[in-house]
Amino acid sequence: MSDKELSATIARCRRERRLADSIVSAVELPAAYRVQAALAEGRPLSGYKLGLLSPAKQAQMGISAPIYGRILDGMLMEGPVSLATFLQPRVEPEIAVVLRGPIAAGATPGAIHAAIGGYYLAVDILDSVWRGYKFTIAEVVSDNASGGGFLLGPQRFDAAPHGALRLWLNGRIAGGGPVDSLGDPGERLAWLASQTGSLPAGAAVFLGSPAAAVPAEPGTLEVSIGRESFVTRLVP
Ligand code: 0L1
Ligand code: MG
């Protein structure tokens, strides 16, 4: 499958609200990012997501760096969130930052730190177009790194929270892991700016999850770290 066919498949399946089957293709990563950008054209950008942060996940996909996707107009949501708007939603707990200033490619660590307006508990709602989340790396990058919906908790933290980030679904723990395993947020933002050219002021950047994504279900969704938590609702 060529990059044009890949782009057309994703666009058609998204439009028709149906899943696509993975087809092994020879599309390289730079071409996949071009497909992602072309599919996002005309939609205002609210930020970015980082994905596949862990070396184990990267090795599984045959890459040695994270991937990124775009948070587009309408993807930043407030609860309650209707699951009917997605194809096959999965959720994972994250930390996100909101930028108060722009970050240029090559910015110093000090400039990056100064550009961070705050840290938030967050939920990444993944929604791959690829059936059963079975995809090649080119397919998932072209499909906007499975970007579906994004939730930011109401509380702003001045500093990056540390500890075990946990996801609770209807009172049951659904996953978690140490937030420090995601690496230094400043370094992650530096990498992202080097890939995109710059990050605009006001952008939300979801920094990835230390936990595996789990299928979303209606009910109460909670993200916690230490004594802090963010609760929202998922409805059918
Ligand atoms: O970390 C992530 O948000 C994952 C991005 C793409 C891979 C997936 O859909 O599982
Ligand atoms: Mg994620």
Side-chain angles (χ1 to χ4, degrees), residues 49-50 92 94 124 208:
K49 69 172 280 184
L50 295 174
E92 54 186 19
E94 301 211 358
D124 180 7

Side-chain angles (χ1 to χ4, degrees), residues 113-139:
H113 185 72
I116 297 174
Y119 296 79
Y120 297 82
L121 296 181
V123 180
D124 180 7
I125 306 176
L126 296 91
D127 196 33
S128 178
V129 80
W130 304 106
R131 193 183 311 280
Y133 285 74
K134 290 189 172 46
F135 40 60
T136 63
I137 191 67
E139 287 167 343

Side-chain angles (χ1 to χ4, degrees), residues 49-53 57 61 67 90 92 94 124 126-128 133 135 137 140-141 144-147 150 208-209 211 213:
K49 69 172 280 184
L50 295 174
L52 304 180
L53 272 290
K57 280 190 199 171
M61 297 302 292
I67 61 171
R90 293 183 179 181
E92 54 186 19
E94 301 211 358
D124 180 7
L126 296 91
D127 196 33
S128 178
Y133 285 74
F135 40 60
I137 191 67
V140 66
V141 166
N144 202 19
S146 305
F150 299 87
S209 183

